């Protein structure tokens, strides 16, 4: 059974911006001290992760309407 969560609009914005920067999720998390599980939570919407949401949006320059 596939239990994969759908990607949220904020998640797609994160993925698109990382692709533009030619950076993968693991490298991004290592560079900025963000737990990989929290970035995954933001992408899939499985947890609010509010502490990191604003930080990720600012670092990746993601517009507020995705937040």
């Amino acid at each position: 059974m596939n239990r994969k969560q759908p990607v949220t609009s904020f998640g797609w914005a994160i993925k698109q911006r990382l692709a533009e920067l030619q950076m993968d999720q693991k490298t991004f998390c290592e560079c900025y001290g963000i737990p990989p599980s929290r970035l995954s939570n933001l992408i899939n919407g499985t947890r609010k992760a509010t502490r990191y949401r604003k930080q990720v949006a600012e670092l990746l320059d993601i517009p507020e309407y995705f937040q």
Side-chain angles (χ1 to χ4, degrees):
M1 179 197 262
N2 188 357
R3 295 175 52 112
K4 190 172 183 178
Q5 296 289 325
V7 177
T8 64
S9 59
F10 185 61
W12 282 118
I14 292 170
K15 286 179 168 284
Q16 180 180 5
R17 190 67 180 116
L18 287 174
E20 290 169 2
L21 297 172
Q22 297 181 347
M23 184 180 287
D24 62 14
Q25 290 176 224
K26 182 179 178 181
T27 305
F28 175 75
C29 289
E30 289 172 354
C31 287
Y32 297 106
I34 297 169
S37 60
R38 292 299 170 255
L39 185 62
S40 178
N41 292 148
L42 289 173
I43 290 171
N44 296 312
T46 55
R47 193 170 177 178
K48 291 183 181 182
T50 53
R51 176 177 173 191
Y52 296 102
R53 188 177 182 93
K54 186 173 182 176
Q55 180 183 2
V56 168
E58 288 175 2
L59 289 169
L60 295 176
D61 195 29
I62 295 174
E64 283 191 36
Y65 60 85
F66 283 112
Q67 300 178 36

